Amino acid sequence: MELIASEMGVYSLELNVAGTFGGAFRTSAGRRDLVDLKTQANEKAGAYDTKPQLGGYLTLAAEHGLHFDGAATLWCRPGRTRVALHDASECVDAWKGALADYRALKARQERARAAGFCGFAGDPFSL
């Protein structure tokens, strides 16, 4: 296994988003996988869905000609390290879903603002 990227930043000027993933590896078979490191100080902390974030990295990297065969999350907790492998297309689909949800929320906020709604504490439309 060969390290081909470390703490690599990716971005999209069109989407106005950026991020940094932990690294990327090439296997002896030529497979290229993007990897993100998740550290959790609490040994009882649970895993959460990282596919949308990984899909964002995969999508942004592809905009710049960097293509990966898959993605992985490296979970590091006290006394335990685990690797979760993910299908690249599932990650990209999860990213697209998260981006659509974000755009829908922003549209609702804009409609509320245009209607003069000021919101209240804890309200998702609060501006």
Side-chain angles (χ1 to χ4, degrees):
M1 189 175 294
E2 173 190 8
L3 178 69
I4 56 175
S6 176
E7 292 298 319
M8 182 166 197
V10 289
Y11 65 93
S12 171
L13 295 176
E14 178 185 341
L15 296 175
N16 194 32
V17 295
T20 302
F21 59 88
F25 296 91
R26 182 178 18 246
T27 67
S28 59
R31 181 180 168 90
R32 296 162 40 111
D33 289 311
L34 181 149
V35 178
D36 201 31
L37 172 67
K38 299 296 182 191
T39 58
Q40 295 178 315
N42 182 342
E43 62 191 36
K44 296 181 185 199
Y48 51 89
D49 188 9
T50 59
K51 289 191 290 291
Q53 184 178 8
L54 293 169
Y57 295 146
L58 291 165
T59 300
L60 300 178
E63 283 189 23
H64 298 281
L66 302 171
H67 300 281
F68 296 95
D69 301 302
T73 306
L74 181 60
W75 293 100
C76 297
R77 298 179 186 93
R80 179 172 73 146
T81 298
R82 184 176 66 85
V83 176
L85 302 175
H86 309 287
D87 178 76
S89 62
E90 287 179 12
C91 293
V92 170
D93 288 346
W95 159 250
K96 288 177 182 176
L99 184 59
D101 290 347
Y102 172 75
R103 287 177 170 162
L105 173 63
K106 295 303 283 181
R108 287 193 307 272
Q109 288 174 332
E110 287 302 316
R111 286 193 302 274
R113 179 178 297 149
F117 184 70
C118 295
F120 51 88
D123 179 66
F125 295 106
S126 291
L127 308 172

